[in-house]
Amino acid sequence: MKLKSKVTAPFKRKSHATIPGSIIYTGNNTVEKVSVHHLKYDEFKAEDRVFDSNEKGTLLPSDEDIVDWYDVRGMQDTNLIEAIGKTYGIHPLILESIVDVNQRPRFDENEKGIFITIRALHFDKEKQEISKEHVAIYLIKGLVISFQETSSDLFESVRDRILSSKGRVRQRGSDYLVYALLDAIIDNYYITLDSFESVIEQVEDDVMEDHHEDIKGDIHNLKKELIVVRKSIAPLREALSRFSKTENTIVYESTFDYLRSLYENTVQIMDSVESYRDMLNSLQDLFMTEVSYKMNKVMQVLTIVSTIFIPLTFVAGIYGMNFDHIPELHFKNGYFIAWGFMIVVALLLVYYFKRRKWL
Amino acid sequence: MKLKSKVTAPFKRKSHATIPGSIIYTGNNTVEKVSVHHLKYDEFKAEDRVFDSNEKGTLLPSDEDIVDWYDVRGMQDTNLIEAIGKTYGIHPLILESIVDVNQRPRFDENEKGIFITIRALHFDKEKQEISKEHVAIYLIKGLVISFQETSSDLFESVRDRILSSKGRVRQRGSDYLVYALLDAIIDNYYITLDSFESVIEQVEDDVMEDHHEDIKGDIHNLKKELIVVRKSIAPLREALSRFSKTENTIVYESTFDYLRSLYENTVQIMDSVESYRDMLNSLQDLFMTEVSYKMNKVMQVLTIVSTIFIPLTFVAGIYGMNFDHIPELHFKNGYFIAWGFMIVVALLLVYYFKRRKWL
Amino acid sequence: MKLKSKVTAPFKRKSHATIPGSIIYTGNNTVEKVSVHHLKYDEFKAEDRVFDSNEKGTLLPSDEDIVDWYDVRGMQDTNLIEAIGKTYGIHPLILESIVDVNQRPRFDENEKGIFITIRALHFDKEKQEISKEHVAIYLIKGLVISFQETSSDLFESVRDRILSSKGRVRQRGSDYLVYALLDAIIDNYYITLDSFESVIEQVEDDVMEDHHEDIKGDIHNLKKELIVVRKSIAPLREALSRFSKTENTIVYESTFDYLRSLYENTVQIMDSVESYRDMLNSLQDLFMTEVSYKMNKVMQVLTIVSTIFIPLTFVAGIYGMNFDHIPELHFKNGYFIAWGFMIVVALLLVYYFKRRKWL
Amino acid sequence: MKLKSKVTAPFKRKSHATIPGSIIYTGNNTVEKVSVHHLKYDEFKAEDRVFDSNEKGTLLPSDEDIVDWYDVRGMQDTNLIEAIGKTYGIHPLILESIVDVNQRPRFDENEKGIFITIRALHFDKEKQEISKEHVAIYLIKGLVISFQETSSDLFESVRDRILSSKGRVRQRGSDYLVYALLDAIIDNYYITLDSFESVIEQVEDDVMEDHHEDIKGDIHNLKKELIVVRKSIAPLREALSRFSKTENTIVYESTFDYLRSLYENTVQIMDSVESYRDMLNSLQDLFMTEVSYKMNKVMQVLTIVSTIFIPLTFVAGIYGMNFDHIPELHFKNGYFIAWGFMIVVALLLVYYFKRRKWL
Amino acid sequence: MKLKSKVTAPFKRKSHATIPGSIIYTGNNTVEKVSVHHLKYDEFKAEDRVFDSNEKGTLLPSDEDIVDWYDVRGMQDTNLIEAIGKTYGIHPLILESIVDVNQRPRFDENEKGIFITIRALHFDKEKQEISKEHVAIYLIKGLVISFQETSSDLFESVRDRILSSKGRVRQRGSDYLVYALLDAIIDNYYITLDSFESVIEQVEDDVMEDHHEDIKGDIHNLKKELIVVRKSIAPLREALSRFSKTENTIVYESTFDYLRSLYENTVQIMDSVESYRDMLNSLQDLFMTEVSYKMNKVMQVLTIVSTIFIPLTFVAGIYGMNFDHIPELHFKNGYFIAWGFMIVVALLLVYYFKRRKWL
């Protein structure tokens, strides 16, 4: 298996050599058209519609008792984001975070609302790559605004459950919806890490059986990908720890159990990331040992062959000399005696190698 | 000794791409028939019976002063678990944990009850494998419900002690029973780690004496198994620390000493796991050094033999040349002089090697 | 790519074998003439002028409602600094810190003012070097005094924004100006680390494709540079954490969000530094493996060639002997039989190597 | 120097598959006869006697103002220990700890008494082994009961000081006696580590001068012994920290300075253990480098000799060919020209090696 | 550069198998005659004198408003120290610390006085050794007693400043004097570490250019010295942290800024020690890679020469055989054809090596 590591660089912050708090999308996933998916529901009914980001001013909560979820797909429309910021009075630095794909996962809150950024991870089995997607979620009472980089939907399962009225989500408020969205992303981590683990196991088999030459690069790439994954998850754990302890009244008492379980999931995921790290280090050691061990075998073969034949060749060389007077040459069975002598030497050497366990 | 590592993957969470809180058994140990073992006892009498998981509704506490212990063997009957959840008002996420074999050991409590999951470890001496079994225990006043994955009983020793009225367990309440159950599992850790240690010692001997080729793989596998064991014990330590500090009134004052001692046992076990890790790292280093050292020896033999015979062969080659006029060839004792010269060269080289301590 | 590491030594404190609190510039960047750039502004107007450090006594706040920013370029004029210290009652040890370029980044405050030192990092793409510049900032109500080592301006972008009235800076007080100055420096860290990362990637490619001989030195130098960078950023993180929690009334409530975001930036930068460290270690391992692996290949070639030809040469040697009676020599097709024998031996060896996957 | 590591396994807890709190001696040092040494003293007089463990019921405090020290030598008499437990109302789990030699050092206290376990270390210079002895001490007002595994006395120096009335011990209470006993054991740690250090230095000299083949095993064994030592001292540090902060009134104010100094000693000992660990790791690296370096030298010799003589042998081979027409063979001084050519080639190669610094 | 490591052993505590609190000098620097240097000063005058340690009872504070500094040089006169202890009521364990050169740096205080021990480090450029000197300082209101191991004065610069009335020291109390003494010692650390760093750089150059054989030992020795330095500085940092937070009224408010800056210096020094450690590890890796890399080069030369000449020698061997009938031997230009063939083979091999970049 040949791995190609195209993990996006761990960070490439915009060089906003300009003004702090300016809203500039720093990713590469420009969608053709930024669209907003609006889904409003309560326990009894749910309805969804899609509209253009041009129809501004529409991202308003519809009603007190209804949950409104605006799902913005595509981040390059900074006007829209600025408009939202103005509508809800969001701090400029938070607006900056929404579109900064290199932002670490973070949790911010004030009396009005709660803001959380997270990275969705996706393992592409074809290309053997982990790709990241920046996601931002803003929560106020009765309203959730989510921001995704691309038009492919990370939250499809949640949307389906709401529309088909499966599970608890319809009976609960906007805070539970945020939980459901985060849970959908974190669920994906498990799948991603499962794939990652199967790749490690594959490389492990390769090391053991030595199929190809790229193992050393593979291990290095896996290590690099893991470094990137780790940088996404470690701050998330911290952010969720703070989320699950928030004293904000937007979050109902009954949701905390769910948030805590989400937090425990990230702890478990970090555990796994750490153990993959240990495994890769152990695998690296194993490969090094494997290489040394194989070299040892190669050297033994060389040593055995050389050590047996070099002295014999010397003997042959001796009797190939052209001195006028070499008595042995004229012995009747000189040639056969020489052969006998050489065979005895060879056997002795073979015995010696056997005893040293080189043969 | 040839090790095979079949430690189950560190985690494979169900991809509940569906609904959080859904109860799905994630393990592979489906038993033929889920059975419930009911044991009720007080200081004076103890009685046990077994019944099918179909006889639902029966997992109720019998009496205030009597301890009821329902031991459910087999986890695939999610109806039963849901029924229990309804009876005792257990949170859906806890029900999910009961049947999720990849759940880290955890401790949860509310005013009603205490819930703890733990992993039983078993070292199969035949197959040289560590196997894990997921165990969940739910405690309320006067009642303990335990869940095991298979029908083989981890708690046999506790059951025997209760029935034969040995030890303190009959005089104490349901909280002490939970302690006894946990103690039975943790006791097994000692046995498991003892076996593990003896395997390390075996591999250590193999490294020293070099019996076979699989040592490098063995060390790697032991490291991997240790990573898995560590992931089971580290969260358990944390869970027991919280258990031993609970302010829940279900747990009597007199039981805390026992819980603390249980906690200290896990601390000690973690110490040992850490020291095994250090030992395996040191063993890895030793093996690498061993391999290098052996290669050194191989190279020395090659170098000595080559260095002695290559020049001599050259001399023999010289006098095998067919030039018309090579004066030495016609010396009276040319052949013997050549021999003498070669012997002197060889002896000088041997002396040189002796001085460098290569011989 | 050939790297030259000229990172200034991690510390070279003046050996003030003299008196603690004495003000001695410890750097090497003596500017020709120390100049002071004075910029005063409020929301409505901004005006700047430059004057000599000889015009002492002039670094006074102009007015309550106006922000005065004195930017001192060049640090060797210790008289000026002493004069400032006297004017504002700054502690001698803080004055010592202003001109001590080896001072770790630190934050000090008393009821009068706030003092912060920081290191500007600059990556010179031409010379492949990270250079450091010591910067000190002193803040009281309505007045900021900044100290730079050289006359090249680190704060040009901030100055431009003030003069052209872009961004928030004109509407805010002196505390926001300090934020803007720190932000300008920390922004540069991102650029520096981006360049650093691209150098790592370059070296990584070199390792994979092996273009030149200096990779091992390059990795070592990168590690060394990273150690130096780390020593600049780790204490800065701590200093900013304390700044963002100051209870000093000089800092307005509305500025804290900005300071916290600055603090989070340093956390993110430290994350990246740590991951570069991991990457370099992994790269070092990769290079070691690469070297071993290549040696393995070299040895295989040697072993194959030697193992095939040494026995054949021995055979040729045999029939080059001059014994009177060697029957084979007189066989009719002896020569061709010998060839045949040798070819068979060679083919067998080739087959053996094929099977061991050495060919 | 040849090291044998017979450090007892880091832990081998009894598999008390039976009942928690059961008192079973888990060590191997069964003494012939368990004896109790009773020493009672106050400032004015001291008297000692020895009696059998059969004379039970005698381990009672004699008088309020007198310190009674019962020193039990030998641990296999569990009846005695149970009797003591009954007399003083000691918790069953503490009784279990007294005879469990694999117990980590621990500190327990209740309102009645203080209990501490510790491991005495002894370095046997003859056998180059560190042996451990489990010691337990129980303290109540006016009474100390100590438990040793063997009949050889670890506390001889303390006993002598009491009987000969040297030092402070006679003027102080039972709490100071416990300090003196712990101090005697910790003093021994210094001696043990001193011996350990001198062994490290010996191995270091061996690495530098390469006297024998077992260095790699020696380093590994030292590391293993250190792991064991560390597991004895790390929990002791924690136990002493808690002891020196106890609020128990059994311990007089004036004794705390002594306990704190004891605690600081263990901190210092841990420092040393950590630095030995670093030293051994560095030594391991040094040895690996040494082996590689030596191999390098070996390879250089082989390469030089081969590279010089292989081409020369080829030349000799050329003129040993039997072609009908080889013009050089008939040159007048062909033989000498050939020699000259070969010497020139050899000199050029020697020059080349000199320039590469291989010679 | 050849390093000799004679760092005194990290600890060699007296085996006070005797009585805790006994005052025994544990160092080797016995001075000829213990002398006491008395310096008394206030803002207006300063006077010093020297007297013998025999003139006991004289170490008394002269006057309330005057600072008395007794500087005891030489530690073997335990009578003197006991006398001082009696005069000022110092705890026996502190007296023990004064003369115990293996004591970790520590800070102790009670309501009467403050006691601090510290290690002076000195780097001997001639012998390339770091030597340690144990220093103890005792402070009460108006009086400082310092203890040095040798008669060479570590505090000369402070003494000079007092006598010549330079700096702040004359205007301040005994607490500032203690600061000045500690500052003098810590200043020396910077010089020591500077020298240490230049040695590291020297070794680094050696590794790059490979001048001599002892690099591996040098790196090991530097690591060992650093371990020792670290053990001196880490506890000092802790001690100064406690000193700078003392609530003791002996220390004036105005001195705390100085103590804090001292504490920050030790933090910075520890940073440097840690980074030297990283550098040495990186250097070790570099050296290992260097050795491997060089071996690779050696092997390549051997492989190239062998691989080219061994087949050619075989060809020459073929035509040196004495078969009756070897047709090629009788070809007209057989000899030249053979040469041509061999040259072609050689060129092909050279081309092959060129393509593999071995040439």
Side-chain angles (χ1 to χ4, degrees), chain A residues 96-300:
Chain A
E96 194 183 345
S97 298
I98 288 172
V99 288
D100 183 2
V101 299
N102 302 306
Q103 187 61 48
R104 313 163 81 219
R106 56 184 286 185
F107 170 82
D108 278 294
E109 65 174 329
N110 54 23
E111 61 286 350
K112 275 185 245 151
I114 281 172
F115 171 74
I116 196 156
T117 59
I118 185 171
R119 279 180 199 152
L121 298 181
H122 179 72
F123 192 80
D124 188 333
K125 289 215 164 180
E126 296 289 300
K127 303 193 202 152
Q128 300 277 15
E129 287 172 27
I130 289 178
S131 62
K132 295 184 303 180
E133 190 182 333
H134 178 67
V135 175
I137 296 171
Y138 186 72
L139 162 71
I140 62 170
K141 196 123 213 154
L143 180 108
V144 171
I145 309 176
S146 59
F147 301 86
Q148 305 186 47
E149 273 190 87
T150 64
S151 55
S152 76
D153 193 4
L154 291 163
F155 302 135
E156 206 177 350
S157 65
V158 180
R159 189 177 310 279
D160 289 352
R161 265 189 281 147
I162 292 173
L163 290 174
S164 63
S165 191
K166 277 198 295 194
R168 270 168 222 90
V169 67
R170 282 280 284 277
Q171 293 116 50
R172 305 262 182 147
S174 56
D175 55 334
Y176 189 88
L177 176 59
V178 169
Y179 157 72
L181 298 180
L182 293 175
D183 185 68
I185 288 170
I186 288 169
D187 245 35
N188 238 310
Y189 286 2
Y190 284 94
I191 298 163
T192 305
L193 289 183
D194 254 13
S195 309
F196 193 83
E197 192 181 336
S198 68
V199 174
I200 292 179
E201 272 161 14
Q202 180 95 44
V203 174
E204 201 168 6
D205 289 353
D206 289 0
V207 170
M208 297 287 194
E209 286 154 39
D210 201 336
H211 288 137
H212 66 103
E213 300 209 359
D214 297 309
I215 296 169
K216 56 195 183 304
D218 283 358
I219 295 172
H220 177 66
N221 284 341
L222 286 174
K223 275 185 177 177
K224 265 180 69 185
E225 293 202 42
L226 206 59
I227 289 167
V228 175
V229 169
R230 210 167 166 269
K231 276 182 71 179
S232 296
I233 294 172
L236 177 63
R237 184 176 52 172
E238 198 190 320
L240 284 178
S241 163
R242 285 180 55 209
F243 192 7
S244 69
K245 285 175 196 155
T246 182
E247 296 178 351
N248 209 311
T249 54
I250 310 173
V251 183
Y252 288 106
E253 197 56 40
S254 61
T255 308
F256 280 111
D257 278 336
Y258 293 93
L259 294 178
R260 258 194 301 276
S261 116
L262 220 49
Y263 164 69
E264 291 208 354
N265 284 343
T266 54
V267 171
Q268 186 174 1
I269 289 168
M270 270 306 285
D271 277 13
S272 293
V273 168
E274 293 300 332
S275 58
Y276 293 155
R277 189 179 149 128
D278 286 355
M279 276 181 204
L280 284 172
N281 281 334
S282 174
L283 206 52
Q284 172 81 35
D285 286 353
L286 180 63
F287 183 66
M288 282 295 282
T289 316
E290 197 74 49
V291 169
S292 293
Y293 199 83
K294 229 181 116 183
M295 178 121 78
N296 222 341
K297 287 281 161 224
V298 173
M299 293 309 304
Q300 279 187 19

Side-chain angles (χ1 to χ4, degrees), chain D residues 11-205:
Chain D
F11 80 19
K12 285 221 198 302
R13 195 216 203 190
K14 69 178 180 294
S15 91
H16 68 146
T18 48
I19 307 160
S22 47
I23 302 163
I24 298 162
Y25 173 58
T26 56
N28 309 309
N29 295 310
T30 320
V31 298
E32 212 187 322
K33 199 166 200 173
V34 174
S35 63
V36 179
H37 293 242
H38 181 204
L39 180 56
K40 70 179 180 189
Y41 64 88
D42 60 10
E43 205 176 336
F44 308 106
K45 61 184 187 299
E47 111 193 17
D48 68 333
R49 69 192 171 105
V50 183
F51 56 90
D52 239 58
S53 74
N54 299 330
E55 307 174 36
K56 269 160 222 160
T58 48
L59 274 65
L60 287 167
S62 354
D63 192 338
E64 271 278 299
D65 300 330
I66 279 180
V67 177
D68 284 277
W69 170 25
Y70 292 99
D71 182 29
V72 181
R73 301 195 191 154
M75 289 191 170
Q76 82 264 43
D77 186 354
T78 52
N79 291 331
L80 176 68
I81 284 154
E82 242 169 312
I84 293 170
K86 216 166 282 172
T87 311
Y88 294 103
I90 304 172
H91 196 283
L93 287 172
I94 287 187
L95 293 181
E96 194 183 344
S97 298
I98 288 173
V99 289
D100 182 2
V101 298
N102 302 305
Q103 187 60 51
R104 312 164 80 219
R106 57 184 284 186
F107 171 82
D108 278 292
E109 64 175 331
N110 55 22
E111 60 287 351
K112 275 186 243 149
I114 279 172
F115 171 73
I116 196 158
T117 59
I118 186 172
R119 278 181 198 148
L121 298 181
H122 179 72
F123 192 80
D124 187 332
K125 289 218 166 181
E126 296 288 302
K127 302 191 203 154
Q128 300 278 14
E129 286 172 28
I130 289 178
S131 62
K132 296 184 301 180
E133 189 181 337
H134 178 66
V135 176
I137 297 171
Y138 187 72
L139 161 71
I140 62 169
K141 197 122 215 156
L143 179 107
V144 172
I145 308 178
S146 59
F147 300 86
Q148 306 186 48
E149 272 191 88
T150 63
S151 54
S152 77
D153 194 2
L154 291 164
F155 302 134
E156 204 177 352
S157 65
V158 180
R159 191 178 308 280
D160 288 352
R161 266 189 281 147
I162 291 173
L163 290 173
S164 64
S165 190
K166 276 200 294 199
R168 271 168 222 89
V169 67
R170 282 280 284 276
Q171 291 116 51
R172 306 261 181 148
S174 56
D175 57 332
Y176 188 88
L177 175 59
V178 168
Y179 157 73
L181 298 180
L182 294 174
D183 186 69
I185 288 170
I186 288 170
D187 245 36
N188 238 311
Y189 285 2
Y190 284 93
I191 298 164
T192 303
L193 288 182
D194 254 13
S195 310
F196 194 81
E197 192 181 337
S198 67
V199 174
I200 292 178
E201 272 161 15
Q202 181 95 42
V203 174
E204 201 168 8
D205 289 352

Side-chain angles (χ1 to χ4, degrees), chain A residues 8-15 24-28 75 96-106 117 119 132-135 149 231-232 235, chain C residues 190 194 197 264-265 268-269 271-272:
Chain A
T8 19
F11 79 24
K12 286 225 195 303
R13 196 217 202 191
K14 67 177 183 294
S15 91
I24 299 162
Y25 172 57
T26 55
N28 309 310
M75 288 191 171
E96 194 183 345
S97 298
I98 288 172
V99 288
D100 183 2
V101 299
N102 302 306
Q103 187 61 48
R104 313 163 81 219
R106 56 184 286 185
T117 59
R119 279 180 199 152
K132 295 184 303 180
E133 190 182 333
H134 178 67
V135 175
E149 273 190 87
K231 276 182 71 179
S232 296
Chain C
Y190 284 94
D194 254 12
E197 192 181 337
E264 292 208 354
N265 285 344
Q268 186 173 1
I269 289 169
D271 277 12
S272 294

